[in-house]
Amino acid sequence: MGRARKEYEIIADILAACKKPAKLIRILQSANINYQTFYKYRKRLLRTGLIEESIIKGVGPTGCNYIYRTTAKGLHTLELLRKKRIKWLEEQADEAVCGINASALGEKGVF
């Protein structure tokens, strides 16, 4: 069993899934999350302006359907989150090779 994703990784996956306007089912599949997880983050992503929600009338059993899209601010945030993930992966690789945690070294380091 793999490790649990960090919160920023889930947010990045949602933002990436909404780069093109997307319905809920596409977001759930693309971000590999369930309904509850999406709604846990949805309100915050809308409030902070990272995604937009639009209504398409006449679609779906209730007569309307929602489409989500990552905003320009969300795309910028996604880029920052990807850089954070790359840095984290590099630190993990360094730790695996050297047997030390790079962040535990502080500013001075070993050398």
Side-chain angles (χ1 to χ4, degrees), residues 4-72:
R5 286 186 288 175
K6 297 183 180 303
E7 185 175 81
Y8 77 86
E9 291 175 305
I10 295 170
I11 291 170
D13 289 341
I14 294 170
L15 293 174
C18 297
K19 283 174 78 171
K20 294 180 182 177
K23 291 183 181 179
L24 178 62
I25 189 69
R26 181 171 160 248
I27 298 166
L28 299 181
Q29 292 171 341
S30 180
N32 194 27
I33 57 175
N34 62 31
Y35 182 84
Q36 290 82 12
T37 301
F38 175 74
Y39 276 92
K40 175 182 172 183
Y41 293 100
R42 175 187 163 272
K43 189 174 187 177
R44 181 168 38 160
L45 293 172
L46 288 168
R47 187 182 67 243
T48 57
L50 299 180
I51 63 172
E52 295 176 334
E53 179 181 76
S54 302
I55 298 175
I56 298 177
K57 296 185 188 246
V59 180
T62 61
C64 67
N65 209 343
Y66 294 97
I67 298 289
Y68 298 91
R69 185 181 69 83
T70 304
T71 63

